[in-house]
Amino acid sequence: MTKMEKSHSTIAIFDSGVGGLSIYAELKKLLPREKIVYLADQKNCPYGEKAQDEVRLLTLKSLTFLTSFKPKLIVVACNTATVAGIDFYRKKFPQIPIVGVVPVVKTAAEMTKNGRIAILSTPSTSKSKYQKELIEKHGNTKMIWNIACPNLVSHIERGIVSGKKIEEELIQILKPVINNRCDTIVLGCTHYPFLKKT
Ligand code: DGL
């Protein structure tokens, strides 16, 4: 059966681009027999530089398309889309379980030794109410640097994950992380693991 054929047992994964492929790979490892359909809205990527209302509507459009595969589960493999409206998507499709991803502030708060955490995320995620609440809930006894990273997603979509250009961007982004001796970094966007090595 090809990926485009409809199936009642499909798991659908959505991201604005290639970021959710890291989640696809993990799912495939854990559940190798599952049929998975992956949708990347690359036409509208990056979501992280758009207003939350727009992100919510674009995501709704993509999820509506994915429902034509009759998925038993939808994974919103995008922090930006999740924080913009996970409850809204769940209300729109009450018959399908929808799982999202959010920056792992809770895990970072448990892991840090010196209580200094940096959260790297898209501009939209970094200023979201959801992120603010995550920080209040799980990081209120820690020092947290909430760092918006414009441009990174666009570079990654173009396959730029190493080299001078991206190194220069990362040096700027990581300055407060180094200056403030953060011992834990949250990669709050599913695209960012592609930059881990760099
Ligand atoms: N992978 C998305 C995330 O986790 C990237 C969002 C974007 O398109 O800017 O936030």
Side-chain angles (χ1 to χ4, degrees):
M1 186 184 278
T2 68
K3 270 188 184 171
M4 292 308 286
E5 278 177 279
K6 293 181 187 183
S7 154
H8 284 274
S9 59
T10 300
I11 294 176
I13 305 182
F14 165 71
D15 184 32
S16 61
V18 297
L21 289 174
S22 48
I23 289 177
Y24 167 83
E26 288 304 315
L27 260 182
K28 240 355 209 184
K29 259 191 249 163
L30 290 168
L31 305 166
R33 296 163 71 95
E34 293 292 339
K35 293 185 199 77
I36 299 178
V37 59
Y38 185 95
L39 175 65
D41 183 15
Q42 288 179 302
K43 185 179 165 214
N44 293 300
C45 190
Y47 277 23
E49 283 159 53
K50 293 179 167 50
Q52 298 236 310
D53 286 359
E54 196 181 349
V55 172
R56 211 176 296 128
L57 290 180
L58 288 170
T59 304
L60 180 62
K61 211 170 149 193
S62 291
L63 300 193
T64 304
F65 172 73
L66 283 172
T67 58
S68 68
F69 291 87
K70 304 212 178 306
K72 61 179 171 190
L73 172 76
I74 294 180
V75 181
V76 178
C78 174
N79 294 263
T80 308
T82 302
V83 303
I86 190 75
D87 292 334
F88 171 73
Y89 318 135
R90 285 176 178 148
K91 269 189 205 128
K92 289 280 176 192
F93 306 107
Q95 72 286 11
I96 309 170
I98 301 180
V99 179
V101 292
V102 297
V104 289
V105 182
K106 185 170 179 238
T107 310
E110 286 160 7
M111 283 171 68
T112 180
K113 298 258 184 314
N114 69 3
R116 292 165 170 261
I117 299 165
I119 306 170
L120 309 186
S121 67
T122 65
S124 180
T125 299
S126 76
K127 55 176 185 257
S128 68
K129 186 166 168 265
Y130 201 120
Q131 172 107 314
K132 193 169 170 264
E133 286 171 1
L134 274 180
I135 294 171
E136 278 165 10
K137 187 165 175 203
H138 303 292
N140 62 349
T141 60
K142 314 290 175 204
M143 290 185 74
I144 302 220
W145 283 266
N146 181 14
I147 303 171
C149 309
N151 306 325
L152 288 188
V153 167
S154 301
H155 291 320
I156 296 163
E157 282 293 315
R158 277 188 245 117
I160 306 168
V161 292
S162 61
K164 201 163 175 279
K165 198 182 170 90
I166 202 85
E167 278 172 23
E168 278 168 8
E169 295 253 6
L170 287 178
I171 286 167
Q172 285 308 316
I173 288 168
L174 295 175
K175 256 185 197 158
V177 181
I178 294 161
N179 292 344
N180 295 299
R181 295 178 291 106
C182 297
D183 72 352
T184 307
I185 300 177
V186 174
L187 300 182
C189 166
T190 53
H191 279 71
Y192 297 170
F194 285 106
L195 298 176
K196 229 172 168 179
K197 213 168 149 204
T198 302

